[in-house]
């Protein structure tokens, strides 16, 4: 579930003295879902099983205590209503606001996915909510999660915590997770991600609330883990050594996100070698100031002009819906475009010089010839509110993207999940045989018998013979906005093929300032002092 209503009451970044005046509506809903989930488990005969709800919204114990107290008060309100009116007939019970909210929540979350009826669940509400406690979990709290002492009856608990919950603590019978804090660091993501697994017997009851940008990062690391797992399978087939796999992991683009912070001294640069072979790179964070927007649009226009001079006019390219594909574009044209495009410093993987160095080293062989796609929207989806651009020599209906929450006047974060390209775009440029070969290999590495509907884009780079440059002209706004007279913002993506050359890595250099701006949320820095949870 998208968690989008907490920014005022519980902002992602806040100080130790932050005051929590009330609970976000989404947290109240998550609590009701937890109460209902336990009631449904009672109906199913699992009334003596453990049930836990996770609430992780701050690393500060002062804030945790406030949230815990407010949750306790809300549980008490629900408990009182259920005790007095829960046994009434449906019509009379619905006159109670708390029970009415529970019924509405049941209809929204469970009515179409669970076989249990509301009547059966209502009968078990009192038993469900009467046993639920609300506790703090941190180094100074007196509360504990002693599941072993409740083996016969089950422990039913809402656990409010911070860093202590991030460090290996197991929540038995975890059903509902309310996860507000954001981190891009892989170790933190992996530790917290274990909360979100579904349990056999009540997998249909489990729910997770988190911000959309955090969802994007979990999707990203899932793709990355799947990619490395597939690489391990391929290396095993070719009798490669564990050292070979270790080198692969260390050169993966995501190695920046697992870099130990103690390697980065204050004010010092830190370099890491990254392999771009078999990777999908894109400018998901863009400069938004007028000068940069104009300059990058001119870079796209010059790219089209340079292609036209070489007899490869975009307007004569293959029509793929609303897009145009031009094959066999010389590398020098692409190289010049990348050099003239103004990259945002926070879009680390698309940093101009490392990308150009990687391309330059392969201009005579693997990257000498490119496919270039000018991405657009099919006319079937065009409306009077669409942005239509003609600067490339043909009519292009611009792709519509929303600005992520971290955007401001000078920076555009493309969607909260930081994605520019639509899923499946990396398949473009391949023959049907090549694409099918990639999909078969993916099914084999995942031990599936085929039939996948949404294959990840990364698998197509394995069979790609030429790199694919995707040029985007983006219309920034929601689906309802009239963008017909807005200015398009240019972006690019590249799908690099695998390489057979030695030492395929290029060096990226980051400093402490970049690291803290991009990888350490102010509320996530584990180098905390005595004011934080330890």
């Amino acid at each position: 579930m998208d968690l989008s209503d907490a920014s005022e009451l519980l902002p992602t970044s806040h100080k130790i003295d932050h005051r929590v005046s009330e609970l976000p509506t989404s947290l109240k809903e998550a609590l009701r879902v937890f109460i209902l989930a336990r009631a449904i488990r009672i109906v199913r005969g699992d009334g003596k099983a453990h049930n836990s709800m996770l609430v992780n919204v701050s690393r500060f114990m002062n804030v945790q205590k406030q949230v815990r107290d407010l949750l306790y008060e809300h549980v008490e309100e629900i408990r009182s209503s259920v005790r007095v009116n829960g046994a009434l007939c449906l019509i009379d019970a619905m006159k109670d606001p708390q029970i009415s909210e529970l019924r509405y929540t049941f209809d929204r979350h469970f009515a179409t996915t669970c076989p249990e009826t509301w009547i059966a669940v209502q009968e078990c509400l009192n038993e469900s909510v009467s046993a639920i406690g609300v506790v703090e979990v941190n180094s100074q709290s007196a509360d504990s999660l002693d599941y072993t002492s409740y083996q016969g009856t089950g422990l039913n608990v809402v656990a409010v915590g911070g860093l202590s919950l991030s460090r290996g603590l197991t929540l038995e019978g975890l059903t509902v997770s309310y996860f507000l804090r954001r981190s891009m660091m892989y170790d933190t993501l992996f530790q917290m991600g274990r909360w979100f697994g579904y349990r056999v017997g009540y997998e249909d009851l489990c729910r997770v609330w988190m911000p959309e940008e955090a969802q994007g990062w979990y999707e990203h690391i899932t793709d990355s883990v799947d990619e490395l797992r597939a690489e391990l399978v391929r290396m095993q087939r070719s009798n490669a050594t564990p050292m070979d796999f270790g080198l692969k992991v260390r050169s993966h683009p995501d190695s920046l996100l697992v870099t130990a912070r103690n390697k980065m001294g204050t004010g010092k640069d830190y370099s890491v070698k990254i392999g771009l072979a078999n990777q999908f790179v894109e400018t998901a964070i863009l400069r938004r100031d007028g000068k940069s927007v104009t300059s990058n649009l001119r870079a796209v226009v010059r790219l089209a002009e340079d292609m036209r001079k070489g007899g490869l006019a975009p307007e004569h390219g293959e029509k793929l819906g609303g897009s145009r594909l031009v094959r066999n574009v010389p590398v020098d044209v692409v190289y010049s475009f990348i050099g003239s495009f103004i990259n945002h410093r926070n879009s680390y993987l698309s940093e101009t010089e490392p990308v150009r160095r990687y391309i330059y080293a392969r201009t005579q062989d693997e990257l000498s010839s490119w496919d270039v796609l000018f991405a657009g929207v099919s006319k079937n989806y065009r409306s009077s509110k669409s942005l239509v651009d003609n600067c490339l020599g043909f009519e292009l209906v611009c792709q519509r993207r929303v600005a992520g929450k971290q955007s401001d006047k000078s920076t555009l974060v493309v969607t909260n999940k930081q994605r520019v390209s639509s899923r499946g775009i990396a398949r473009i440029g391949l023959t049907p045989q090549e694409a099918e070969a990639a999909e078969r290999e993916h099914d084999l590495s995942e031990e599936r018998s085929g039939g996948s509907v949404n294959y990840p884009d990364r698998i197509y780079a394995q069979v790609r013979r030429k790199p694919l440059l995707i040029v985007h002209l983006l219309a920034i706004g929601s689906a309802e906005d009239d963008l017909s007279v807005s200015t398009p913002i240019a972006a690019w993506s590249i799908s690099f093929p695998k390489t057979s050359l030695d030492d395929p890595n290029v060096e990226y250099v980051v400093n402490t300032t970049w690291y803290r701006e991009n990888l350490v949320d102010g509320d996530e820095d584990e180098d905390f002092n005595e004011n934080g949870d330890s």
Side-chain angles (χ1 to χ4, degrees), residues 332-384:
D332 59 322
V333 175
V334 175
Y335 186 82
S336 177
F337 167 70
I338 298 297
S340 62
F341 190 95
I342 302 176
N343 187 63
H344 194 290
R345 65 176 183 173
N346 288 352
S347 185
Y348 71 92
L349 204 57
S350 59
E351 187 178 337
T352 302
E353 288 312 309
V355 172
R356 275 165 56 95
R357 285 198 300 271
Y358 183 83
I359 295 173
Y360 183 78
R362 291 155 182 79
T363 56
Q364 302 302 314
D365 38 64
E366 295 175 338
L367 304 183
S368 61
S369 179
W370 290 62
D371 291 336
V372 177
L373 178 74
F374 294 89
V377 177
S378 171
K379 290 185 177 181
N380 294 334
Y381 298 97
R382 177 178 175 176
S383 72
S384 60

XYZ file of all heavy atoms in Angstrom, residues 332-384:
441
model
N 30.333 7.618 -33.027
C 30.763 8.990 -32.776
C 29.572 9.927 -32.604
O 29.635 10.922 -31.868
C 31.685 9.488 -33.893
C 31.025 9.441 -35.264
O 30.286 8.474 -35.530
O 31.257 10.362 -36.072
N 28.452 9.627 -33.259
C 27.249 10.443 -33.109
C 26.702 10.314 -31.691
O 26.339 11.307 -31.045
C 26.183 10.025 -34.143
C 24.886 10.784 -33.914
C 26.687 10.242 -35.559
N 26.655 9.089 -31.192
C 26.165 8.843 -29.838
C 27.137 9.427 -28.809
O 26.733 10.041 -27.821
C 25.969 7.332 -29.602
C 25.572 7.066 -28.158
C 24.928 6.782 -30.558
N 28.418 9.233 -29.057
C 29.454 9.712 -28.146
C 29.348 11.230 -27.977
O 29.458 11.767 -26.873
C 30.821 9.322 -28.695
C 31.987 9.624 -27.786
C 32.323 8.768 -26.742
C 32.766 10.753 -27.988
C 33.402 9.040 -25.919
C 33.845 11.040 -27.170
C 34.164 10.176 -26.138
O 35.241 10.447 -25.316
N 29.123 11.919 -29.080
C 28.983 13.370 -29.042
C 27.730 13.786 -28.272
O 27.754 14.747 -27.496
C 28.928 13.920 -30.475
O 28.715 15.308 -30.469
N 26.639 13.044 -28.470
C 25.395 13.364 -27.762
C 25.573 13.227 -26.254
O 25.187 14.121 -25.487
C 24.269 12.454 -28.241
C 23.050 12.492 -27.356
C 22.242 13.615 -27.314
C 22.719 11.395 -26.558
C 21.116 13.655 -26.481
C 21.611 11.430 -25.733
C 20.809 12.564 -25.691
N 26.162 12.121 -25.802
C 26.360 11.910 -24.369
C 27.226 13.033 -23.790
O 26.983 13.526 -22.684
C 27.012 10.545 -24.092
C 26.103 9.403 -24.579
C 27.326 10.372 -22.606
C 24.776 9.319 -23.882
N 28.235 13.466 -24.554
C 29.111 14.520 -24.078
C 28.432 15.871 -23.967
O 28.800 16.698 -23.123
N 27.447 16.138 -24.800
C 26.781 17.440 -24.791
C 25.594 17.490 -23.848
O 25.060 18.567 -23.571
C 26.320 17.802 -26.207
O 25.374 16.847 -26.685
N 25.161 16.341 -23.350
C 24.016 16.288 -22.446
C 24.487 16.651 -21.035
O 25.462 16.098 -20.518
C 23.407 14.888 -22.449
C 22.083 14.780 -21.750
C 20.906 14.882 -22.460
C 22.012 14.588 -20.378
C 19.681 14.789 -21.825
C 20.792 14.495 -19.730
C 19.619 14.598 -20.458
N 23.794 17.582 -20.391
C 24.161 18.017 -19.040
C 23.537 17.061 -18.022
O 22.315 17.053 -17.829
C 23.699 19.455 -18.768
C 24.304 20.409 -19.805
C 24.101 19.885 -17.359
C 23.806 21.839 -19.659
N 24.363 16.265 -17.382
C 23.881 15.276 -16.423
C 23.734 15.904 -15.039
O 24.490 16.791 -14.658
C 24.866 14.105 -16.346
C 24.344 12.962 -15.498
O 23.339 12.350 -15.825
N 25.029 12.664 -14.397
N 22.746 15.444 -14.293
C 22.607 15.876 -12.900
C 23.596 15.091 -12.048
O 23.751 13.888 -12.214
C 21.182 15.627 -12.412
C 20.837 16.336 -11.134
N 21.375 15.988 -9.918
C 20.008 17.394 -10.890
C 20.890 16.787 -8.980
N 20.067 17.651 -9.540
N 24.249 15.777 -11.119
C 25.287 15.119 -10.322
C 24.741 13.970 -9.479
O 25.486 13.068 -9.097
C 25.966 16.134 -9.406
C 25.056 16.733 -8.344
C 25.821 17.656 -7.413
N 24.952 18.176 -6.362
C 25.402 18.904 -5.336
N 26.689 19.185 -5.254
N 24.564 19.342 -4.425
N 23.442 13.995 -9.163
C 22.873 12.922 -8.350
C 22.468 11.702 -9.171
O 22.096 10.677 -8.611
C 21.665 13.431 -7.572
C 22.068 14.368 -6.448
O 23.255 14.518 -6.162
N 21.099 14.995 -5.818
N 22.513 11.824 -10.498
C 22.268 10.662 -11.350
C 23.623 10.001 -11.589
O 24.236 10.133 -12.637
C 21.628 11.102 -12.670
O 21.285 9.991 -13.464
N 24.088 9.284 -10.562
C 25.494 8.868 -10.513
C 25.880 7.921 -11.633
O 26.962 8.015 -12.201
C 25.820 8.255 -9.150
C 25.193 6.900 -8.899
C 25.857 5.736 -9.207
C 23.924 6.800 -8.328
C 25.287 4.505 -8.975
C 23.348 5.577 -8.105
C 24.026 4.426 -8.423
O 23.452 3.206 -8.212
N 25.009 6.982 -12.006
C 25.410 5.964 -12.976
C 25.464 6.524 -14.392
O 26.142 5.963 -15.257
C 24.441 4.778 -12.917
C 24.994 3.434 -13.409
C 26.245 3.044 -12.638
C 23.935 2.351 -13.287
N 24.757 7.632 -14.641
C 24.786 8.245 -15.970
C 25.790 9.394 -16.039
O 25.737 10.209 -16.958
C 23.388 8.752 -16.357
O 22.909 9.695 -15.417
N 26.688 9.454 -15.086
C 27.710 10.493 -15.071
C 28.453 10.501 -16.413
O 28.885 9.453 -16.906
C 28.674 10.267 -13.908
C 29.679 11.382 -13.714
C 30.575 11.117 -12.518
O 30.164 10.347 -11.622
O 31.683 11.669 -12.492
N 28.610 11.663 -16.982
C 29.065 11.793 -18.376
C 30.416 11.139 -18.638
O 30.545 10.307 -19.551
C 29.120 13.279 -18.776
O 27.821 13.850 -18.603
C 29.552 13.429 -20.223
N 31.419 11.492 -17.887
C 32.778 11.038 -18.216
C 32.976 9.535 -18.076
O 33.567 8.910 -18.956
C 33.814 11.813 -17.396
C 33.968 13.250 -17.849
C 34.128 13.358 -19.363
O 34.988 12.648 -19.936
O 33.375 14.119 -19.989
N 32.524 8.889 -16.995
C 32.666 7.428 -16.940
C 31.948 6.720 -18.089
O 32.477 5.764 -18.668
C 32.053 7.063 -15.588
C 32.217 8.282 -14.763
C 32.035 9.427 -15.709
N 30.735 7.176 -18.443
C 30.000 6.548 -19.543
C 30.757 6.734 -20.856
O 30.914 5.802 -21.655
C 28.576 7.127 -19.642
C 27.872 6.614 -20.901
C 27.756 6.754 -18.400
N 31.279 7.943 -21.075
C 32.027 8.203 -22.315
C 33.331 7.395 -22.355
O 33.732 6.915 -23.421
C 32.304 9.702 -22.445
C 31.138 10.455 -23.084
C 31.244 11.939 -22.902
N 32.486 12.513 -23.399
C 32.630 13.052 -24.618
N 31.616 13.032 -25.478
N 33.767 13.614 -24.960
N 33.989 7.252 -21.208
C 35.223 6.449 -21.181
C 34.918 5.001 -21.540
O 35.694 4.354 -22.261
C 35.880 6.524 -19.804
C 36.600 7.829 -19.513
C 37.573 7.681 -18.360
N 36.922 7.269 -17.130
C 36.407 8.090 -16.229
N 36.461 9.402 -16.437
N 35.860 7.629 -15.130
N 33.821 4.496 -21.006
C 33.448 3.117 -21.312
C 33.173 2.952 -22.808
O 33.605 1.980 -23.430
C 32.215 2.727 -20.492
C 31.802 1.287 -20.686
C 32.422 0.267 -19.968
C 30.808 0.944 -21.593
C 32.061 -1.059 -20.158
C 30.435 -0.375 -21.788
C 31.067 -1.364 -21.069
O 30.708 -2.673 -21.267
N 32.430 3.903 -23.380
C 32.121 3.835 -24.813
C 33.375 3.984 -25.647
O 33.613 3.225 -26.602
C 31.089 4.923 -25.180
C 29.746 4.645 -24.483
C 30.891 4.992 -26.702
C 28.738 5.768 -24.652
N 34.226 4.953 -25.292
C 35.430 5.249 -26.081
C 36.357 4.040 -26.183
O 36.945 3.778 -27.229
C 36.173 6.427 -25.462
C 37.392 6.859 -26.248
C 37.245 7.630 -27.401
C 38.669 6.483 -25.845
C 38.358 8.021 -28.140
C 39.787 6.867 -26.570
C 39.625 7.636 -27.724
O 40.727 8.012 -28.453
N 36.458 3.273 -25.100
C 37.349 2.113 -25.087
C 36.870 1.003 -26.016
O 37.623 0.072 -26.299
C 37.482 1.574 -23.662
N 35.617 1.120 -26.502
C 35.044 0.056 -27.325
C 34.528 0.574 -28.671
O 33.715 -0.064 -29.323
C 33.899 -0.616 -26.556
C 34.401 -1.408 -25.364
C 33.351 -1.554 -24.278
N 33.924 -2.274 -23.143
C 34.715 -1.713 -22.234
N 34.998 -0.419 -22.313
N 35.220 -2.433 -21.256
N 35.010 1.762 -29.059
C 34.508 2.361 -30.293
C 34.893 1.580 -31.540
O 34.238 1.715 -32.591
C 35.024 3.802 -30.437
O 36.463 3.792 -30.370
C 34.472 4.693 -29.334
N 35.933 0.765 -31.469
C 36.395 0.041 -32.651
C 35.786 -1.345 -32.775
O 36.000 -2.019 -33.786
C 37.935 -0.080 -32.619
C 38.663 1.248 -32.554
C 38.316 2.150 -33.715
O 38.290 1.716 -34.869
N 38.050 3.420 -33.428
N 35.059 -1.795 -31.777
C 34.548 -3.169 -31.841
C 33.113 -3.271 -31.319
O 32.157 -3.076 -32.052
C 35.474 -4.120 -31.067
C 36.033 -3.490 -29.800
O 35.246 -3.186 -28.900
O 37.272 -3.301 -29.718
N 32.968 -3.531 -30.035
C 31.652 -3.882 -29.501
C 30.628 -2.743 -29.564
O 29.429 -3.002 -29.683
C 31.785 -4.353 -28.042
C 32.572 -5.643 -27.891
C 32.792 -6.033 -26.446
O 32.726 -5.142 -25.577
O 33.021 -7.225 -26.186
N 31.075 -1.520 -29.453
C 30.144 -0.389 -29.418
C 30.296 0.522 -30.623
O 29.969 1.710 -30.564
C 30.345 0.419 -28.119
C 30.227 -0.355 -26.803
C 30.378 0.583 -25.624
C 28.920 -1.127 -26.724
N 30.757 -0.024 -31.732
C 30.994 0.813 -32.914
C 29.694 1.196 -33.631
O 29.631 2.204 -34.320
C 31.921 0.090 -33.889
O 31.338 -1.132 -34.330
N 28.654 0.395 -33.465
C 27.388 0.638 -34.154
C 26.238 0.518 -33.161
O 26.197 -0.426 -32.363
C 27.197 -0.367 -35.296
O 25.976 -0.167 -35.961
N 25.295 1.471 -33.214
C 24.234 1.567 -32.212
C 22.846 1.530 -32.852
O 22.676 1.906 -34.012
C 24.347 2.889 -31.452
C 25.526 2.971 -30.528
C 26.849 2.901 -30.869
C 25.481 3.155 -29.110
N 27.629 3.029 -29.755
C 26.824 3.192 -28.656
C 24.451 3.308 -28.185
C 27.141 3.364 -27.321
C 24.766 3.481 -26.840
C 26.101 3.509 -26.412
N 21.882 1.077 -32.065
C 20.472 1.306 -32.359
C 20.036 2.512 -31.531
O 20.400 2.623 -30.348
C 19.611 0.100 -31.983
C 19.854 -1.099 -32.887
O 20.302 -0.885 -34.021
O 19.599 -2.231 -32.440
N 19.291 3.415 -32.157
C 18.814 4.605 -31.451
C 17.292 4.649 -31.545
O 16.732 4.622 -32.650
C 19.425 5.892 -32.024
C 18.840 7.122 -31.309
C 20.945 5.879 -31.871
N 16.644 4.713 -30.401
C 15.184 4.772 -30.332
C 14.754 6.135 -29.796
O 15.195 6.562 -28.732
C 14.648 3.677 -29.404
C 13.122 3.658 -29.217
C 12.433 3.112 -30.462
C 12.732 2.846 -27.987
N 13.905 6.809 -30.543
C 13.265 8.029 -30.063
C 11.901 7.613 -29.524
O 10.993 7.295 -30.297
C 13.148 9.052 -31.192
C 14.479 9.564 -31.671
C 15.158 8.905 -32.694
C 15.066 10.674 -31.087
C 16.391 9.358 -33.132
C 16.301 11.137 -31.523
C 16.969 10.479 -32.546
N 11.795 7.578 -28.198
C 10.617 6.986 -27.551
C 9.450 7.966 -27.510
O 9.609 9.137 -27.137
C 10.971 6.539 -26.141
N 8.290 7.490 -27.895
C 7.085 8.304 -27.854
C 5.873 7.462 -27.539
O 5.960 6.242 -27.368
N 4.743 8.113 -27.487
C 3.483 7.459 -27.140
C 2.690 7.187 -28.412
O 2.655 8.016 -29.326
C 2.662 8.346 -26.180
C 1.317 7.719 -25.874
C 3.450 8.591 -24.896
N 2.068 6.029 -28.476
C 1.243 5.687 -29.625
C 0.102 6.680 -29.782
O -0.445 7.193 -28.800
C 0.676 4.271 -29.457
O -0.284 3.998 -30.452
N -0.267 6.949 -31.009
C -1.362 7.888 -31.282
C -2.673 7.404 -30.690
O -3.600 8.193 -30.475
C -1.504 8.112 -32.787
C -0.351 8.904 -33.394
C -0.603 9.209 -34.857
C 0.521 10.053 -35.440
N 0.292 10.387 -36.871
N -2.767 6.102 -30.401
C -3.982 5.574 -29.780
C -4.206 6.167 -28.391
O -5.324 6.166 -27.877
C -3.912 4.048 -29.678
C -3.907 3.388 -31.038
O -4.412 3.952 -32.010
N -3.346 2.192 -31.133
N -3.096 6.624 -27.771
C -3.186 7.174 -26.418
C -3.044 8.694 -26.408
O -2.926 9.299 -25.358
C -2.097 6.549 -25.535
C -2.246 5.057 -25.390
C -1.513 4.186 -26.189
C -3.142 4.512 -24.473
C -1.660 2.811 -26.078
C -3.295 3.139 -24.352
C -2.548 2.297 -25.159
O -2.690 0.934 -25.038
N -3.025 9.276 -27.579
C -2.900 10.728 -27.672
C -4.229 11.386 -27.327
O -5.293 10.902 -27.695
C -2.470 11.124 -29.087
C -2.387 12.624 -29.318
C -1.913 12.925 -30.720
N -1.951 14.370 -31.001
C -1.514 14.902 -32.131
N -0.988 14.136 -33.073
N -1.579 16.209 -32.316
N -4.144 12.514 -26.636
C -5.342 13.282 -26.297
C -5.047 14.760 -26.497
O -3.920 15.150 -26.806
C -5.753 13.025 -24.844
O -4.850 13.639 -23.954
N -6.058 15.583 -26.311
C -5.878 17.028 -26.465
C -4.960 17.600 -25.394
O -4.444 18.712 -25.530
C -7.240 17.728 -26.402
O -7.882 17.467 -25.157
